[in-house]
Amino acid sequence: MFALSVESAVRHAIEEIERLLDSDELATLRNTYLHEQGEKREQVFQELRMNAESLGFRVEFVDGRPVPAPLDTEGQPLTPEAFSQLPEEQRAAIEKKTPELDDRLGQALQQIRRLDRQTSDGLREIERTAARRSMEPIFDELRASLPVSADSRQGAYLGDVLGDLLDQVDDIRAFDEPLMPGHPPDRRARRERLLERYRVNVFVTNGSGGAPVIFENNATYYNVFGRADYRAVGGLMVTGHTQIQAGSLHRANGGFLVLQAADVFGPQGIWEPLKKCLRSGEINIEALGEQIRSVPTQSISPAPIPLTAKVIIVGTPGVYQLGWSSDEDFRKLFKVRADFAPDMDRTPASIGHLASFVRRRCDTEGLPSFDKAAIARVIEHAARLAGHQQKLSTRFVDLADIVTEAAYWRSERDGGGPVNRDDVSRAIEQKQFRGALYEDRLQQMIADGTIHIRTSGEAIGQVNGMSVYEMAEHSFGRPTRITARVSLGEGEFVHLERETEMSGRLHSKGFLSLVGYLQGKYGTDRPLALSASLGFEQIYDEIEGDSAASAELYALLSELGQFPLKQGIAVTGSVNQLGEVQAVGGVIEKVEGFFEVCRTDGLSGEQGVIIPTDNKRNLMLRDDVIEAVRSGQFHVWAVSTVDEGLEILAGIPAGIAGQKGYPADSIHGRVTARLDALVQKQGEFAARLDGQSPSPAGKRRNTRTG
């Protein structure tokens, strides 16, 4: 509003000055003043003539310049020829008076020049006074309409505009002259050119009434700090105050600017100038690289603008840690850190917020509305993405995609109406289908026997572990056969993947925890006279994580105790040295992955997955898996200890140690019996090597050595 009002007032003022310059009123004032100044000029001329005649000269004016000529005895001016024929004494007398005449001529010329300047200044003042009288009502009305006080910055600006307009009267008079030689006069173009001088550059507009919040998604140098544009005029590149463009830092002034860390610290080169702005509290608009040039080239230098914005940088914790540790200014300028969780508690309030998000997405994108069942399905999917029954994911980009795709599937079916639960389910299924090529190929290889996975029967020293594959936005689980072999040895435990450097540090830690459990459980009253090896069959990629530790332990105990394990059950869970089964990640994908394999082979009602008890809250399974569990065709067991898992897999008691040890028909009884047998065989073998019959002493000696 201010800019439009000023432009209208200035345009009106220029038109008033044009009218004034052509008015009879101003012409009368000018003529009157010129007549008065002409009389003063004539008086100077008259005095000069009288002084010259008193010295024997007459002064004539040629082209406005005085030309003196000596007089003869009759008072007539002498020509140069007549002057040269005078007697020498008479010429000398005349020439003697010449210096005095020149002095009086010089004084007269000074008076005339002074009068000319007074005349020019007086005419200009007459025009200024008349122009001021014409424009002051216009600007008074402008101040009243805004309203603007005289002592405000806007009031001072309007006063400056009025004063500068008074200095442009000569330019306004020249409106009928061409802008460039050889071109016809263009009064309109001349007027617009002058109007451009006073046009207000609306730099930033924040009409919301609150503090602005600006998200800069393309944080280049000029987009953040502003720039001065140039335009071509007559083959030259020129700029002006109206060409100054605001950056996002200007638009966020008084509020908040949100930047991405990748842009701030990336090749855009905005970190160093951003620091300078925040330290100085000012925004300077200058050409990129102007500070390193030896010779300035920018033709306009806007005044610095005070900065009161808060800058927010969004990035990963690693970026924050890097900035904190490598740049002292980063610590000083960005002292407040706020971490954002990938999920939120599943409360009535958060469910309401998520429902509002769905509604807002529909309104923004012009999508059909969602019914209650459809919104409930979106909430279930958000819990699945969070991997927790009591959490909701904050991955709103993924949720927004599901909302949009569900609206599409609603448009593909007959009947119309709002988006329903089936539409949302179809959107989720189709998204999973598009990313499931690799999963389908693995499933096909398991089905045709290329990858050996058993889902029925029993086997000793063999169990189905579970792995999770992550392919961009699609993750899935698949079973992996884990096998164990035991022989005589000296307490050696070998993992094939660990020895071949195909496992990561977390997997190695899980394996060593497994070994610690075995040593603490069975090695306190006997040496472990064994050599054990574990391996993942048909795995050719690196494995990481400790979620297979329980499955590895079950396979090893089965091999030691020579009791079979049910092959229709897959296992996941880490194990500590006390035999407690701990929570793992990806439990949803693992359960559903083994379910797919079992369904392909045929569900028998004996298959299922063993998971840690602590992972029960993470189960957000598909509807078909839930239905299979409900009907007894598939099972999900939750265990807290190794013994609980062993009893499910082996179908026999784990056993509780008494005064005589574990019961012989229990799992631990069979394992200890096998370990004792290995010790016995080791002693017998050592005795044969020594050529002696075994004796208790010899046994003790050899088992200690082993």
Side-chain angles (χ1 to χ4, degrees), residues 409-539:
W409 290 116
R410 175 265 181 194
S411 66
E412 290 294 301
R413 63 174 170 82
D414 297 331
V419 176
N420 59 33
R421 182 183 180 89
D422 292 339
D423 296 327
V424 178
S425 296
R426 188 173 183 184
I428 296 171
E429 292 168 1
Q430 289 296 316
K431 184 174 183 180
Q432 292 174 343
F433 171 77
R434 290 192 296 271
L437 176 61
Y438 189 65
E439 178 184 5
D440 293 341
R441 291 294 180 90
L442 284 177
Q443 181 64 30
Q444 183 179 0
M445 294 174 71
I446 293 173
D448 63 20
T450 303
I451 297 177
H452 296 173
I453 298 293
R454 291 179 58 183
T455 61
S456 62
E458 296 180 339
I460 295 175
Q462 177 176 307
V463 71
N464 290 321
M466 294 297 300
S467 302
V468 173
Y469 288 73
E470 294 186 359
M471 313 293 293
E473 63 178 3
H474 181 70
S475 60
F476 63 94
R478 59 150 288 191
T480 302
R481 186 171 66 167
I482 299 174
T483 59
R485 296 305 299 266
V486 173
S487 63
L488 279 174
E490 299 180 353
E492 301 167 344
F493 294 86
V494 176
H495 201 295
L496 302 183
E497 277 67 33
R498 185 166 178 254
E499 294 299 319
T500 56
E501 298 182 353
M502 292 179 62
S503 65
R505 291 181 296 176
L506 294 181
H507 177 265
S508 297
K509 179 183 177 182
F511 174 68
L512 294 177
S513 295
L514 176 157
V515 173
Y517 167 78
L518 290 172
Q519 291 173 335
K521 186 74 172 178
Y522 305 110
T524 57
D525 55 358
R526 69 178 56 81
L528 299 181
L530 59 85
S531 176
S533 64
L534 285 165
F536 287 76
E537 305 299 339
Q538 294 182 293
I539 290 291

Side-chain angles (χ1 to χ4, degrees), residues 113-132:
R113 284 194 293 270
R114 189 161 46 248
L115 284 173
D116 289 343
R117 286 195 299 271
Q118 289 178 355
T119 301
S120 178
D121 293 342
L123 289 173
R124 188 175 295 107
E125 185 60 30
I126 289 173
E127 292 176 346
R128 286 175 62 91
T129 301
R132 181 180 291 275

Side-chain angles (χ1 to χ4, degrees), residues 217-240:
N217 297 318
N218 184 23
T220 63
Y221 178 87
Y222 291 123
N223 286 353
V224 174
F225 302 102
R227 66 189 183 276
D229 290 340
Y230 287 78
R231 65 177 185 273
V233 177
L236 300 176
M237 299 301 294
V238 299
T239 186

